[in-house]
Amino acid sequence: MARRKEPTVHGVAVVDKPAGVTSHDVVAMLRRRLNERRIGHAGTLDPSATGVLVIGVGHATRLLRFITDGHKRYVGEVVLGVETDSLDADGTVTATHEMAPVDLDTVRALIADRFVGDIEQVPPMVSAIKIGGRRLHELARAGVEVERQPRPVTISSFDVIDSRVEDGRQILTVDVACSAGTYVRSLAADLGTALGGGAHLRNLRRTAVEPFTLDDAAPPDECELLPIVDAVRGMPQFTVDGPLAARVAVGSVLPAPPGDGPWAMVTPDRQLLAVYEAHGDGFAKPSVVLPQPS
């Protein structure tokens, strides 16, 4: 069996994903542009959605889970009175409701009562979650609907920032900050149901993948390749050198630094050596040790 070629290009790219392409399409674009096969992304965006998509290149792919697990922020439009099978504008309309315009104070009070904090959410059928070894969107395309168990998610904030009427339908512009694994489509649909009718989501834009924002992002053909250490910019970072750096480089267990972790261990010249996580009482061990240039 041929040995897998070691990556030669390393770093992080923050892409402003355009509409009409998949997250995998963006990965393919960066593979061609950078001439590097080992590339992955942190957190899928639906094809119609736009905004922040964090790409790991080379050794940085080993750090993507720390970004994927972070909080995210979105803006989008909730169309009241129309339900779709995908819960967004890409789907087929399954039901319509005559809904009188809703006062924004009423909507905000309902959201604060039911949709902020730790909640449970049933994932949509049109999603990448696997059940029985098959992705839900594959089952949905085959006309099969399966029972999905609610999943815990955290909604840090859910704000209605604008309302207007378009073609007789009330459109709510929302700004949502949430944990990884949250489906904003489901929030929109559940809000419509709670208001006595139905709804779907459109024009979703991800404005942040903690700690990256749209200010860091650029289109796939323009985005900058940032150093690997930028992948851990949201972590506590500790500078190590000399004998301690040598111990980190070989994956030694160390006394835990202050705080909860994970912790990034960097050299004085800002090279990332490893990421450590808690290990037992008062200790930490590396979950990722990165190769260093010889």
Side-chain angles (χ1 to χ4, degrees):
M1 185 175 182
R3 186 176 180 181
R4 186 176 182 182
K5 181 183 176 182
E6 285 298 308
T8 58
V9 181
H10 312 282
V12 179
V14 187
V15 175
D16 186 351
K17 186 187 92 63
V21 298
T22 67
S23 299
H24 184 72
D25 289 337
V26 175
V27 168
M29 293 175 194
L30 269 293
R31 283 177 176 155
R32 290 191 296 269
R33 179 183 157 196
L34 299 174
N35 194 29
E36 176 57 62
R37 293 296 304 167
R38 193 175 300 181
I39 296 182
H41 63 79
T44 302
L45 272 175
D46 293 334
S48 61
T50 65
V52 177
L53 182 67
V54 182
I55 303 291
V57 181
H59 296 322
T61 57
R62 301 175 60 192
L63 303 166
L64 287 176
R65 72 176 177 90
F66 300 108
I67 300 171
T68 301
D69 292 342
H71 272 62
K72 300 171 176 63
R73 189 162 191 158
Y74 301 85
V75 293
E77 294 179 336
V78 179
V79 182
L80 298 181
V82 180
E83 298 181 61
T84 73
D85 56 0
S86 63
L87 312 186
D88 64 14
D90 291 338
T92 301
V93 174
T94 57
T96 59
H97 307 266
E98 292 301 323
M99 298 176 66
V102 185
D103 177 76
L104 287 191
D105 288 338
T106 300
V107 178
R108 289 167 177 147
L110 178 64
I111 288 173
D113 182 54
R114 299 194 195 181
F115 296 100
V116 176
D118 297 328
I119 66 171
E120 290 198 329
Q121 183 181 77
V122 176
M125 273 300 302
V126 181
S127 65
I129 292 172
K130 283 187 176 180
I131 291 183
R134 294 189 66 185
R135 297 196 184 276
L136 287 178
H137 63 75
E138 295 173 347
L139 296 171
R141 282 199 298 269
V144 177
E145 182 161 353
V146 298
E147 183 177 358
R148 289 97 67 204
Q149 295 300 314
R151 297 183 171 208
V153 296
T154 300
I155 311 301
S156 303
S157 64
F158 186 171
D159 300 320
V160 181
I161 58 178
D162 185 40
S163 173
R164 69 183 188 279
V165 176
E166 183 180 298
D167 297 328
R169 300 292 182 187
Q170 187 174 10
I171 314 294
L172 305 175
T173 302
V174 299
D175 185 324
V176 178
C178 55
S179 63
T182 301
Y183 284 92
V184 184
R185 286 181 283 148
S186 295
L187 281 180
D190 292 344
L191 176 60
T193 300
L195 289 169
H200 71 274
L201 183 73
R202 72 179 189 187
N203 295 333
L204 182 65
R205 184 160 175 75
R206 187 154 67 191
T207 59
V209 175
E210 191 178 70
F212 302 98
T213 72
L214 283 171
D215 289 340
D216 302 301
D221 58 348
E222 299 176 16
C223 60
E224 180 184 359
L225 186 64
L226 304 172
I228 287 181
V229 72
D230 276 74
V232 295
R233 66 164 67 163
M235 289 183 195
Q237 298 187 11
F238 293 88
T239 301
V240 294
D241 58 7
L244 182 56
R247 293 184 64 194
V248 168
V250 297
S252 299
V253 174
L254 301 173
D260 296 330
W263 305 275
M265 303 298 183
V266 300
T267 65
D269 62 351
R270 303 290 300 150
Q271 299 299 310
L272 179 65
L273 289 177
V275 174
Y276 271 66
E277 295 186 89
H279 176 64
D281 187 16
F283 291 91
K285 70 174 183 179
S287 53
V288 177
V289 178
L290 293 174
Q292 298 300 308
S294 55

